[in-house]
Amino acid sequence: KQDPNAKIVETGQDFFTPTTGESAVQTMMSAHPEINLIAASDQGIEGAAAASSAAKAVLVGFGASQAGIAGVKSGRWFGTVAQDPATEGKDGVLTLVNAIRNNKNYRGQNPLNSLPDKGVVTKSDAGQFKGEWAG
């Protein structure tokens, strides 16, 4: 449920790189120093964590990269949401091969269902995740 008092005051683009994320956050924080939550790709949040202007903002990433999980474990990031590209790719190919070999249709699957807390990484469960990419 969305908080009716929450509002998006600015958007930026990190292009999945920490340096561009840091620059975007500095620009956003300069225009809106009241920003108290930043959500972005893990790479963008790596940049946000480096921006001194965002020192008081809550940081939430998307990816559960190794860097993201480390950020959550350290307490600097509030959380990140898992993406497991190697597992998802492997599972997709195996399902396709099985469908062709067995001439069967398979239902869609959500790879995050098998992860702790359905892939939501917080400090309390960060130790249960292993990022499939550096970040």
Side-chain angles (χ1 to χ4, degrees):
K1 182 176 176 185
Q2 183 176 347
D3 182 338
N5 298 315
K7 65 180 181 175
I8 297 171
V9 295
E10 187 69 75
T11 60
Q13 184 60 257
D14 62 39
F15 295 105
F16 300 99
T17 60
T19 53
T20 306
E22 181 178 8
S23 177
V25 166
Q26 289 171 332
T27 299
M28 290 186 295
M29 295 302 291
S30 176
H32 301 280
E34 74 279 8
I35 291 174
N36 59 13
L37 177 116
I38 300 169
S41 70
D42 276 9
Q43 300 94 326
I45 295 300
E46 284 182 77
S52 60
S53 58
K56 294 181 181 176
V58 173
L59 304 178
V60 178
F62 182 70
S65 63
Q66 294 163 7
I69 293 168
V72 173
K73 285 180 178 178
S74 77
R76 176 61 185 107
W77 297 28
F78 178 80
T80 184
V81 178
Q83 295 295 293
D84 286 339
T87 298
E88 292 169 22
K90 179 188 76 161
D91 290 349
V93 169
L94 289 175
T95 300
L96 175 63
V97 168
N98 285 331
I100 292 168
R101 283 184 179 159
N102 300 318
N103 196 26
K104 285 179 69 175
N105 290 327
Y106 286 86
R107 296 182 58 202
Q109 57 188 355
N110 182 348
L112 302 181
N113 284 342
S114 63
L115 296 175
D117 209 11
K118 298 207 181 206
V120 177
V121 183
T122 61
K123 192 161 186 168
S124 66
D125 64 10
Q128 298 176 52
F129 290 87
K130 183 178 187 314
E132 291 192 352
W133 50 287

